[in-house]
């Protein structure tokens, strides 16, 4: 498939070519966004566990993405193409909702329920890695590697828009229907983009020789370390800000995630073109 060349002048020149992928990412991450303000409260108040266990449950997603998801996603995108990887990721996110229901089935036994819930968070990390890696690779093919900064900018905005919109929706669903409402939405919502994907032409997998893993790590170790260190604060807020809101009686904790998503989008709009323009 030939890359679709977009004008080179601004970040907004890439909006229309990337719109289908942005819509798919928005729909895919909406359900995980719904879980952000809900899972810590469920673990703490319903299952009766403390802050350490809350951190373990929330962090399980990122551990799975790091150790399994990203490696699997890279291999699948390169070997089978991004369309298949995104389909598998969307189905994986939908399956997370089924795991949430399974945890509710044993809610009277808190330890088994917690372990099943952790399994759902692990699956979330793997599935999200497949979706976002596929979207980025697919976008770079559509626009060309010289526009990779724009692709990362717009796809990232779609992801954080999903968190910003999904968090209050999750809070509302939890208030009305409990954790089962979030589980049901997690099953159903990721299935919507599957119909959209059927309308998009696929991308042939890359047949280029893949460098060994250790060589890739060597190339990205410094920017990767910088990104890791800069993400510690995000991970801590992601895990515990809901409990802080509840403890202080501040009301809708989902506003914290909505504010974070809005700030991320504003930042990308203001400086998202810098990598393309300045390197």
């Amino acid at each position: 498939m030939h890359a679709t060349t977009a004008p080179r002048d601004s970040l907004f020149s890439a909006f229309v070519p990337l719109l289908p992928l942005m819509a798919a990412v928005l729909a895919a991450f909406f359900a995980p966004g719904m879980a952000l303000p809900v899972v810590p409260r469920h673990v703490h108040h319903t299952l009766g566990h403390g802050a350490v266990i809350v951190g373990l449950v929330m962090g399980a997603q990122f551990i799975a993405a790091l150790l399994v998801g990203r490696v699997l996603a890279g291999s699948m995108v390169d070997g089978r193409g991004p369309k298949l990887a995104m389909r598998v990721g969307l189905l994986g996110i939908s399956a997370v909702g089924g795991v949430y229901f399974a945890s509710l089935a044993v809610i009277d036994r808190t330890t088994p329920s917690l372990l099943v819930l952790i399994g759902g968070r692990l699956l979330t990390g793997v599935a999200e890695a497949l979706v976002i890696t596929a979207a980025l690779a697919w976008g770079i093919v559509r626009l060309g590697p010289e526009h990779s900064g724009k692709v990362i900018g717009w796809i990232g905005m779609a992801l954080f828009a999903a968190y910003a919109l999904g968090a209050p929706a999750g809070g509302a669903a939890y208030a009305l229907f409990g954790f089962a409402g979030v589980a049901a939405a997690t099953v159903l919502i990721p299935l919507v983009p599957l119909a959209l994907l059927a309308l998009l032409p696929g991308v042939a997998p890359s047949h280029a020789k893949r460098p060994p893993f250790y060589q890739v790590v060597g190339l990205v170790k410094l920017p990767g370390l910088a990104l890791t260190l800069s993400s510690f604060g995000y991970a801590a807020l992601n895990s515990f800000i809901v409990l802080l809101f509840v403890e202080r009686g501040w009301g809708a904790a989902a506003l914290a995630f909505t504010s974070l998503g809005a700030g991320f989008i504003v930042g990308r709009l203001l400086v998202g073109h810098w990598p393309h323009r300045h390197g």
Side-chain angles (χ1 to χ4, degrees), residues 73-234:
S75 298
M76 186 176 293
V77 168
D78 288 344
R80 304 290 298 276
K83 189 170 186 176
L84 175 64
M86 186 172 286
R87 280 175 169 166
V88 173
L90 290 168
L91 290 173
I93 294 174
S94 179
V96 170
V99 179
Y100 287 166
F101 275 122
S103 74
L104 289 173
V106 291
I107 194 69
D108 55 327
R109 293 178 288 167
T110 57
T111 298
S113 183
L114 175 68
L115 293 175
V116 174
L117 183 61
I118 291 174
R121 300 302 295 169
L122 291 169
L123 180 57
T124 299
V126 175
E128 286 188 351
L130 283 163
V131 171
I132 196 66
T133 303
L136 291 171
W138 206 341
I140 289 172
V141 170
R142 287 175 69 88
L143 269 69
E146 67 273 18
H147 299 289
S148 56
K150 296 177 184 179
V151 174
I152 294 170
W154 282 114
I155 296 299
M157 278 190 273
L159 188 157
F160 275 88
Y163 286 165
L165 297 172
Y174 186 68
L176 291 172
F177 307 109
F179 195 57
V182 176
T186 303
V187 171
L188 297 175
I189 293 175
L191 301 179
V192 175
L194 286 175
L196 175 65
L197 288 183
L199 303 176
L200 292 179
V203 176
S206 171
H207 297 291
K209 183 179 179 181
R210 300 184 65 200
F213 180 73
Y214 70 88
Q215 290 185 4
V216 177
V217 172
L219 291 172
V220 302
K221 60 181 182 297
L222 290 180
L225 177 62
L227 182 61
T228 299
L229 295 176
S230 69
S231 299
F232 271 104
Y234 167 73

Side-chain angles (χ1 to χ4, degrees), residues 255-276:
L255 291 176
F257 299 101
T258 301
S259 300
L260 174 65
F264 183 93
I265 292 170
V266 170
R268 282 290 173 95
L269 289 174
L270 292 177
V271 301
H273 62 288
W274 281 15
H276 170 66

Side-chain angles (χ1 to χ4, degrees), residues 5-126:
T5 303
R8 301 170 179 269
D9 51 352
S10 71
L11 178 68
F12 294 95
S13 64
F15 179 78
V16 173
L18 292 176
L19 188 57
L21 296 177
M22 292 167 59
V25 169
L26 178 65
F29 282 83
F30 189 90
M34 292 180 69
L36 289 176
V38 171
V39 171
R41 293 174 62 186
H42 180 70
V43 173
H44 186 63
H45 297 296
T46 305
L47 298 181
H49 293 284
V52 173
I53 300 300
V54 171
L56 174 63
V57 172
M58 298 303 290
Q61 170 185 342
F62 304 108
I63 293 172
L66 175 65
L67 298 181
V68 179
R70 294 290 179 166
V71 177
L72 174 64
S75 298
M76 186 176 293
V77 168
D78 288 344
R80 304 290 298 276
K83 189 170 186 176
L84 175 64
M86 186 172 286
R87 280 175 169 166
V88 173
L90 290 168
L91 290 173
I93 294 174
S94 179
V96 170
V99 179
Y100 287 166
F101 275 122
S103 74
L104 289 173
V106 291
I107 194 69
D108 55 327
R109 293 178 288 167
T110 57
T111 298
S113 183
L114 175 68
L115 293 175
V116 174
L117 183 61
I118 291 174
R121 300 302 295 169
L122 291 169
L123 180 57
T124 299
V126 175

